[in-house]
Amino acid sequence: MKIAIGSDHGGYNLKEKVKVLLDDLGFEYKDFGPANTDSVDYPDFAQEVSFGVSRGAFERGILICGTGIGMSIAANKVKGVRAALCHDLFSAKATRQHNNSNILAMGERVIGSGLALEIVKTWLGEEFEGGRHQRRVDKIFKLEE
Ligand code: RB5
């Protein structure tokens, strides 16, 4: 599974920790930046990661800003993206099982890094259940037409 990851300045430190986790777990990923905590605009990084997922170059994406909200709003504007803002393990599991979310958004200023890394592990490990959930995801696709 190839993963695209990006943040803004508010999510940079957590992004670096998530990269260490991805290395430990053996996932292939591309870091779309930024490379430091200088102030940047989160939609620019949401765009890069979301376009990569949308065109199929990456199976999943991870976006981190201060709250995760800006990133999730921006990512969900891109066709084919189902970005889920998760700050708890239940949501991380459920959004994979039910929504087949392909981007995980988190806020570095909202939760501690210990929980955030557990959320990443959970979200990466869960499968989409399909069935009645596929019908609902198909209806989301129709909203994009
Ligand atoms: C940046 O200050 C902050 O607005 C951003 O990281 C994010 O929280 C936006 O939703």
Side-chain angles (χ1 to χ4, degrees), residues 8-11 39-40 42 64-73 107 109:
D8 70 354
H9 51 286
S39 184
V40 292
Y42 60 83
I64 306 165
C65 61
T67 60
I69 297 171
M71 284 296 197
S72 58
I73 291 172
R109 297 172 184 159

Side-chain angles (χ1 to χ4, degrees), residues 6-25:
S7 73
D8 70 354
H9 51 286
Y12 172 79
N13 290 307
L14 180 55
K15 172 170 68 74
E16 294 307 299
K17 289 179 181 168
V18 171
K19 283 163 56 183
V20 172
L21 174 70
L22 295 177
D23 283 331
D24 288 348
L25 296 175

Side-chain angles (χ1 to χ4, degrees), residues 23-35:
D23 283 331
D24 288 348
L25 296 175
F27 283 103
E28 188 183 346
Y29 65 85
K30 179 173 177 183
D31 181 3
F32 283 88

Side-chain angles (χ1 to χ4, degrees), residues 1-5 49-56 58-63 72 75-76 78-86 92 95-105 123-124 126 128 137 140-141 144:
M1 184 194 300
K2 281 175 77 179
I3 299 166
I5 186 167
V49 168
S50 300
F51 281 4
V53 171
S54 176
R55 69 169 195 272
F58 299 90
E59 200 174 334
R60 305 272 192 94
I62 298 174
L63 286 167
S72 58
N76 277 315
V78 176
K79 200 169 179 160
V81 164
R82 292 174 304 284
L85 175 60
C86 296
T95 188
R96 283 292 310 133
Q97 293 175 338
H98 293 193
N99 315 123
N100 200 13
S101 55
N102 49 16
I103 290 186
L104 171 67
W123 185 76
L124 288 173
E126 284 298 326
F128 180 49
V137 170
I140 296 175
F141 276 123
E144 295 179 335

